[in-house]
Amino acid sequence: RRDRRASRDMSTEVNAKGYGGTDSSPALEPLLERDAKEGVEPVGAGSEGSGPPKDDPGDVIFGLKLGFDGVFAVLALLTVVLISASCYFEEWMYKRLPNFNYFWTVACAELAVFTVASVAGAVATGTIAQPRRAPLLKYLLQATVMAVYAAIAKIAYKYLNYATGTVLRSTKLVFVMAISVAWLGRRYSAWDYAAAIGMIISVACFGLGEAHADKGQDHTWGYVLSVLGLGLAALQTNMADNAMRDHGATSLENMLYVNGLGFWIVLVFAAVVDGEAAIDYMRHTDNALTLLIARSLTFYLGAFAFTELTRHSGATPATSVATARKALTVMLSFVAFPDDKPFSGWFLAGIVTFIAAIGLELKSRIEKKRR
């Protein structure tokens, strides 16, 4: 209780509505990600600019007094269900709709939801009228990086199955560590390096499993685009970290400008690359528009639920929930969409190694919190 109250008294602002929150999206809420890596407990209920009043112990949700653990359970369940649902809708779109090839349009729809949410959050907290702290050029560069990643991470699905893509995206840790060490001079523990090695081994197992399942098919472009996307995602995470650490920008300011600028960049690319054919496809293909809307909304709601879970319970418990959700997404993909990935020993080894790697990552964060 004392630790929770101390967390609530902190005045650090956390990111409420950043584009991200799932494996298939740009940076997973850079400030929360930074806090988790460093073992910092983010703001709890009653922090400045967000959350319930300071005398609210965090026991109430949706008007119901459920106790601290009850609220944690509800938020954890919402996080897992909503983000898993968003991944299910996304895989359904890519793998079951006929001749689907409108990935820029999907990224545009998702980013539109997050942009509206970012503007609404900035208006509600009054931050929209505050002077900008970080240079506009840095936000423009960050938005461009995010926009490109948002699309190419999805285009990679043309060449890879969804489970393999999910595991590949989870290796973002490796790229974030590499760029952080080289650019920002960050240090990592042995647990972090062990997790990174585990992720690499898991990707190798999934790659061998995919090669075994699809003999003769070339998945090179899927891996190239995924690796390029991961590099860009890690770069964007560090760019956001730089804006908040070195320029004193709040997370809400960062996401307001990055989401807003990124939306227009993606919209231009969607108009040029996908064109009117995307609109025609969404209007006349059964379930296409429904899946796009369902994916975009559950994506945002899941990310928001995760943010609230982190506010309520701290970075480490929230990361535990996210870890379980990643494993669930991979297994759900095998169950719900088995056509393009017949199960094999390589996939089993990849899943086991993947779960072990994210467990090591969680262990690292727990150790940092104890220091």
Side-chain angles (χ1 to χ4, degrees):
R1 291 283 182 180
R2 189 180 303 115
D3 291 340
R4 291 186 199 126
R5 282 193 291 270
S7 177
R8 293 186 192 108
D9 288 338
M10 292 169 61
S11 60
T12 307
E13 191 174 26
V14 296
N15 177 20
K17 301 176 179 70
Y19 182 32
T22 71
D23 295 321
S24 56
S25 63
L28 174 57
E29 302 173 5
L31 185 57
L32 293 179
E33 196 169 70
R34 180 197 74 189
D35 288 345
K37 284 188 289 185
E38 297 181 355
V40 176
E41 286 295 325
V43 174
S47 62
E48 289 184 9
S50 62
K54 290 187 178 181
D55 59 354
D56 186 339
D59 294 347
V60 178
I61 186 171
F62 303 131
L64 300 175
K65 188 174 180 62
L66 301 178
F68 191 89
D69 292 337
V71 172
F72 171 82
V74 171
L75 289 173
L77 180 63
L78 287 173
T79 298
V80 171
V81 170
L82 288 168
I83 297 181
S84 296
S86 76
C87 293
Y88 174 78
F89 294 138
E90 185 179 37
E91 185 168 9
W92 187 355
M93 218 176 354
Y94 298 163
K95 302 302 182 181
R96 292 288 173 85
L97 294 184
N99 303 313
F100 185 88
N101 194 32
Y102 304 103
F103 301 97
W104 282 100
T105 300
V106 176
C108 187
E110 293 173 357
L111 192 51
V113 174
F114 278 87
T115 300
V116 170
S118 294
V119 173
V123 170
T125 59
T127 57
I128 197 166
Q130 294 178 358
R132 188 184 68 255
R133 296 182 181 180
L136 184 61
L137 178 59
K138 285 197 173 183
Y139 282 137
L140 180 59
L141 291 173
Q142 189 184 158
T144 302
V145 170
M146 183 199 68
V148 175
Y149 164 58
I152 66 173
K154 298 178 184 302
I155 296 172
Y157 285 123
K158 292 175 62 176
Y159 311 98
L160 297 172
N161 71 58
Y162 199 85
T164 301
T166 297
V167 174
L168 265 170
R169 286 191 305 273
S170 297
T171 62
K172 176 184 169 183
L173 167 69
V174 179
F175 292 84
V176 170
M177 288 173 60
I179 294 177
S180 293
V181 170
W183 178 22
L184 301 177
R186 304 283 186 261
R187 293 183 179 181
Y188 292 90
S189 69
W191 294 109
D192 290 312
Y193 287 107
I197 293 172
M199 288 291 183
I200 294 172
I201 294 174
S202 178
V203 168
C205 290
F206 268 86
L208 290 169
E210 186 137 25
H212 182 267
D214 300 322
K215 293 180 179 179
Q217 291 192 23
D218 188 2
H219 301 286
T220 303
W221 273 110
Y223 291 107
V224 170
L225 290 173
S226 294
V227 170
L228 177 60
L230 285 167
L232 291 173
L235 177 61
Q236 194 241 324
T237 296
N238 284 281
M239 292 171 77
D241 190 44
N242 174 257
M244 290 183 282
R245 283 181 183 270
D246 299 338
H247 296 282
T250 65
S251 56
L252 283 177
E253 175 188 299
N254 184 81
M255 299 315 298
L256 174 65
Y257 281 93
V258 174
N259 284 342
L261 293 170
F263 168 72
W264 292 106
I265 294 170
V266 172
L267 181 62
V268 170
F269 273 97
V272 173
V273 178
D274 293 350
E276 294 183 5
I279 298 175
D280 185 68
Y281 185 92
M282 293 299 169
R283 289 179 58 192
H284 298 104
T285 303
D286 290 344
N287 300 317
L289 185 58
T290 301
L291 287 171
L292 180 64
I293 294 172
R295 158 64 183 177
S296 300
L297 292 178
T298 52
F299 184 24
Y300 167 73
L301 292 173
F304 183 77
F306 175 75
T307 302
E308 292 305 306
L309 176 64
T310 308
R311 288 176 184 273
H312 177 269
S313 306
T316 301
T319 301
S320 300
V321 173
T323 296
R325 200 277 311 161
K326 288 180 183 179
L328 179 63
T329 295
V330 171
M331 291 184 284
L332 178 63
S333 178
F334 278 100
V335 173
F337 303 96
D339 298 347
D340 63 335
K341 45 184 173 301
F343 200 73
S344 69
W346 284 117
F347 282 133
L348 177 60
I351 291 174
V352 172
T353 311
F354 177 62
I355 293 174
I358 52 184
L360 288 168
E361 184 182 357
L362 178 59
K363 174 66 175 177
S364 171
R365 294 177 179 180
I366 292 173
E367 290 298 319
K368 288 172 184 176
K369 180 184 174 183
R370 289 174 178 171
R371 292 173 188 168

